[in-house]
Amino acid sequence: MSERLTATPPGVRLGPLEQIADGAARNFVLEMKAGRFHGFAVRRGDGVAGYVDRCPHMGPPLAQRLDQYLTDDGALIQCSWHGALFRIDDGACVGGPCTGAALIPWPLEVRKGTIFTA
Ligand code: FES
């Protein structure tokens, strides 16, 4: 089994910002020589917040259903396993079994409507 990565090189093109509805999240899996990277991005207007798709509580990807990363009101990131809640801004866990921990940031940037790793 190849290693699961927690970072990507800069400049990887992830596609148009428009593929994520404003206020929604999307899963990304990148196959790289060193292994496979799982991350997700939350769109907020013209920007995105990216995190490694790994819950600090027990380590699984957060969403059991594709792209279901957010609470119903879209205000927080929610782990589907035991309900940990994370701020979209900085990934800090603000509720649930890993309060005080944080998601690992996945730096992203939007250039001319296209999302790239930063
Ligand atoms: S694995 Fe995410 S809350 Fe337990």
Side-chain angles (χ1 to χ4, degrees):
M1 210 172 90
S2 66
E3 202 178 330
R4 192 146 173 169
L5 306 175
T6 56
T8 57
V12 178
R13 189 179 184 282
L14 300 178
L17 177 66
E18 295 301 322
Q19 71 192 318
I20 311 174
D22 196 6
R26 188 187 192 282
N27 164 270
F28 290 92
V29 179
L30 277 62
E31 294 282 356
M32 291 179 290
K33 225 175 186 174
R36 183 180 287 187
F37 174 87
H38 293 251
F40 66 97
V42 184
R43 179 175 170 190
R44 302 180 107 186
D46 292 335
V48 286
Y51 294 99
V52 176
D53 195 356
R54 181 184 187 284
C55 182
H57 177 220
M58 293 182 74
L62 279 76
Q64 295 180 63
R65 285 177 46 213
L66 185 67
D67 298 342
Q68 297 293 301
Y69 289 97
L70 303 178
T71 52
D72 287 345
D73 64 1
L76 293 167
I77 296 162
Q78 181 167 37
C79 179
S80 64
W81 295 98
H82 315 104
L85 296 166
F86 306 89
R87 277 198 302 253
I88 295 171
D89 280 345
D90 60 4
C93 182
V94 293
C98 52
T99 303
L103 297 169
I104 300 170
W106 181 34
L108 299 176
E109 62 186 10
V110 178
R111 297 202 299 261
K112 293 183 180 165
T114 300
I115 307 169
F116 292 89
T117 59

